[in-house]
C-alpha cells in the first residue's frame, strides 16, 4: 500500500513528516466508514473537516455537539450526522440545578434523534467533583437516560502512561489506580443491560487486551470504540501483534471512532486528515515508521506500526457492527 507523498505539505503538529494527505492511500477495504466518536462544533472549521472525512471514506458521524449548536451542525451535515447527548460540560457543577439541566438536555437531544448518551467519567472527574458514574449524584441521570430509551457511551480510564511517576495521575489517592476506574464501568454494564454500552477509547485499556477480553466475556452488551488517535497510535504501535490477535477474535465487538474535535482551534484540512490517515495505516497496513502526528506521551520520535487487519475485520469495525446494532442503516 503506497503512502502519501512526503515533503509536499507544511510541517505542523499534525504533519511533522510533510505528508500530502490529499494523496489518499489505497484502502484495503472499500467499505464506507461510520465514525462513532467525534465532537463537531458549528463554524467554518466544518468545511476542512468535511473535506478530509470525504477523502478518507467517512460516510457518517456520531457527534458530541453542544445542544445549542445542534441545529447549525444538522443544517450543514443533514442525515450524515447523529448526535450523542451530552450535558454542558463547561458549566459542570455538582448541584441540583445542573443535574436538572442535564436531564432536560437528554430529553432535548432525544427530540433531535439522539440514540446514544455520553458519560465522561475520566479520573479528572474524581479529582474535580468526586464523581463516578455510579455515584448517587449521577445515578438519577443514568436512570432517566434509560427511561428515555438511550444506549450509552462512557469514558473510563485514561492512558496508562499517565499513572507513571511524574504523570498527571501519579497521585492515586486523588485519582485512583487505573484498576479502580473499572468498577463504575461494570456497574453501568450490569445496571442498564441489555442496553448497549460503548466503552470509548478501546475501553480505556488498549494497553491491556486481557482486561478487555475479560470484560467482553462478562458483559455481552459491551462494545468498544477505537477513538483517541494519538493514544491508539502510540499504544497499538507498542504491541501490534497482540492488538491484531485481539481484534481478529473480537471483530464483532469494536466500532471505528476518531475522537476528532472539530472546533475553531483546528482550521486546516491537514489536521483532520492526519487522524484518518493514521487510522488507515494503523488498522489496514503493516506500516512501520514514524507517526506524522506529534505526541508528547510517546517515545521520541513517535512511531506508527500497523496491525494489517484483514478486510472482513475492517468492514465489521468500519460499519458492519454499527449496522448490526441498529445504530445506522446499512451503508
Amino acid at each position: 500500500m503506497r503512502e502519501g507523498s512526503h515533503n509536499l505539505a507544511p510541517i505542523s503538529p499534525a504533519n511533522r513528516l510533510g505528508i500530502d494527505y490529499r494523496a489518499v492511500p489505497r484502502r484495503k477495504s472499500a467499505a464506507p466508514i461510520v465514525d462513532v466518536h467525534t465532537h463537531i462544533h458549528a463554524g467554518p472549521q466544518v468545511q476542512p473537516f468535511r473535506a478530509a472525512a470525504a477523502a478518507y471514506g467517512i460516510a457518517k458521524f456520531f457527534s458530541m455537539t453542544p445542544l445549542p449548536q445542534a441545529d447549525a451542525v444538522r443544517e450543514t451535515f443533514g442525515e450524515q450526522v447523529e448526535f450523542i447527548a451530552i450535558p454542558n460540560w463547561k458549566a459542570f457543577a455538582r448541584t441540583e440545578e445542573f443535574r436538572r439541566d442535564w436531564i432536560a438536555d437528554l430529553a432535548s437531544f432525544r427530540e433531535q434523534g439522539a440514540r446514544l448518551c455520553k458519560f465522561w467519567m475520566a479520573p479528572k472527574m474524581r479529582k474535580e467533583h468526586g464523581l463516578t458514574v455510579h455515584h448517587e449524584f449521577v445515578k438519577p441521570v443514568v436512570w432517566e437516560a434509560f427511561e428515555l430509551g438511550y444506549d450509552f457511551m462512557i469514558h473510563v480510564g485514561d492512558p496508562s502512561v499517565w499513572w507513571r511517576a511524574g504523570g498527571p495521575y501519579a497521585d492515586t489517592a486523588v485519582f485512583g489506580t487505573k484498576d479502580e476506574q473499572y468498577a463504575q464501568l461494570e456497574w453501568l454494564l450490569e445496571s442498564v443491560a441489555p442496553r448497549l454500552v460503548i466503552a470509548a477509547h478501546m475501553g480505556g485499556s488498549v494497553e491491556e487486551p486481557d482486561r478487555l477480553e475479560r470484560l467482553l466475556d462478562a458483559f455481552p452488551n459491551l462494545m468498544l470504540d477505537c477513538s483517541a488517535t494519538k493514544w491508539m497510535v502510540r499504544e497499538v504501535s507498542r504491541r501490534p501483534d497482540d492488538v491484531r490477535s485481539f481484534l481478529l477474535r473480537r471483530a464483532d465487538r469494536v466500532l471505528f471512532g476518531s475522537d476528532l474535535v472539530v472546533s475553531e482551534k483546528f482550521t486546516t484540512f491537514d489536521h483532520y486528515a492526519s487522524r484518518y490517515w493514521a487510522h488507515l495505516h494503523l488498522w489496514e497496513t503493516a506500516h512501520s515508521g514514524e507517526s506524522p502526528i506529534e505526541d508528547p506521551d510517546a517515545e521520541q520520535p513517535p512511531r506508527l506500526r500497523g496491525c494489517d487487519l484483514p478486510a472482513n475485520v475492517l468492514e465489521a469495525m468500519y460499519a458492519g457492527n454499527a449496522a448490526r446494532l441498529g445504530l445506522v442503516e446499512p451503508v
Side-chain angles (χ1 to χ4, degrees):
M1 180 179 293
R2 66 185 180 87
E3 300 177 26
S5 301
H6 288 237
N7 302 317
L8 296 177
I11 304 302
S12 72
N15 196 357
R16 48 183 297 279
L17 302 179
I19 291 169
D20 179 7
Y21 290 131
R22 295 181 186 275
V24 180
R26 185 190 303 275
R27 291 179 50 206
K28 182 182 290 186
S29 167
I33 299 172
V34 177
D35 189 340
V36 302
H37 196 129
T38 67
H39 305 258
I40 303 174
H41 296 77
Q45 69 276 353
V46 300
Q47 297 309 325
F49 165 71
R50 193 176 194 182
Y56 284 82
I58 314 302
K60 197 171 185 72
F61 325 101
F62 282 73
S63 173
M64 285 156 265
T65 297
L67 184 59
Q69 299 182 34
D71 287 339
V73 170
R74 175 73 74 195
E75 184 176 348
T76 298
F77 290 99
E79 296 305 309
Q80 192 177 17
V81 67
E82 298 276 351
F83 296 119
I84 300 174
I86 55 171
N88 180 5
W89 290 115
K90 289 184 178 180
F92 193 92
R94 193 169 150 179
T95 65
E96 290 299 318
E97 180 182 9
F98 183 88
R99 187 166 63 181
R100 285 195 301 270
D101 290 344
W102 191 352
I103 288 171
D105 287 351
L106 286 172
S108 296
F109 270 111
R110 281 297 274 174
E111 293 173 1
Q112 289 275 3
R115 289 173 277 184
L116 291 169
C117 63
K118 167 77 174 293
F119 287 83
W120 187 80
M121 293 292 153
K124 289 181 181 179
M125 188 62 82
R126 293 175 183 246
K127 177 185 178 183
E128 295 175 10
H129 301 287
L131 295 178
T132 58
V133 77
H134 56 353
H135 190 280
E136 293 303 318
F137 178 79
V138 183
K139 281 182 178 180
V141 186
V142 174
W143 305 141
E144 184 65 22
F146 187 90
E147 289 300 317
L148 287 167
Y150 277 105
D151 290 305
F152 296 81
M153 178 180 281
I154 187 169
H155 176 136
V156 297
D158 260 330
S160 295
V161 294
W162 293 2
W163 271 274
R164 292 179 181 173
Y169 298 157
D171 187 352
T172 56
V174 173
F175 295 100
T177 65
K178 184 153 186 178
D179 286 345
E180 287 170 343
Q181 310 304 312
Y182 286 86
Q184 62 176 324
L185 174 60
E186 295 188 17
W187 176 86
L188 182 65
L189 286 160
E190 292 172 349
S191 299
V192 304
R195 295 284 175 78
L196 172 68
V197 176
I198 301 171
H201 319 312
M202 291 295 281
S205 202
V206 66
E207 301 92 338
E208 298 171 291
D210 288 349
R211 184 202 302 276
L212 300 179
E213 292 272 16
R214 292 193 298 271
L215 287 166
L216 291 170
D217 284 340
F219 299 102
N221 58 328
L222 173 63
M223 294 288 291
L224 311 173
D225 79 33
C226 67
S227 64
T229 306
K230 285 190 286 188
W231 185 0
M232 293 302 112
V233 167
R234 179 177 65 250
E235 298 301 338
V236 172
S237 295
R238 286 175 173 155
R239 52 189 66 80
D241 293 340
D242 290 343
V243 174
R244 185 179 196 276
S245 295
F246 171 79
L247 290 170
L248 291 178
R249 293 191 300 272
R250 299 296 191 167
D252 62 336
R253 306 292 291 276
V254 181
L255 302 162
F256 179 83
S258 68
D259 202 19
L260 268 167
V261 177
V262 183
S263 76
E264 61 187 8
K265 183 178 178 182
F266 307 111
T267 60
T268 67
F269 175 92
D270 268 17
H271 175 82
Y272 300 113
S274 69
R275 273 54 180 174
Y276 290 129
W277 186 100
H279 277 285
L280 187 158
H281 284 77
L282 191 65
W283 307 122
E284 296 196 20
T285 81
H287 178 93
S288 181
E290 293 188 24
S291 170
I293 302 170
E294 285 188 0
D295 181 2
D297 291 316
E299 298 171 1
Q300 298 301 320
R303 308 297 298 176
L304 193 162
R305 298 172 63 202
C307 292
D308 196 19
L309 295 170
N312 65 310
V313 173
L314 295 166
E315 287 160 7
M317 289 175 57
Y318 284 165
N321 291 334
R324 175 176 55 82
L325 294 165
L327 295 175
V328 298
E329 296 295 325
V331 294

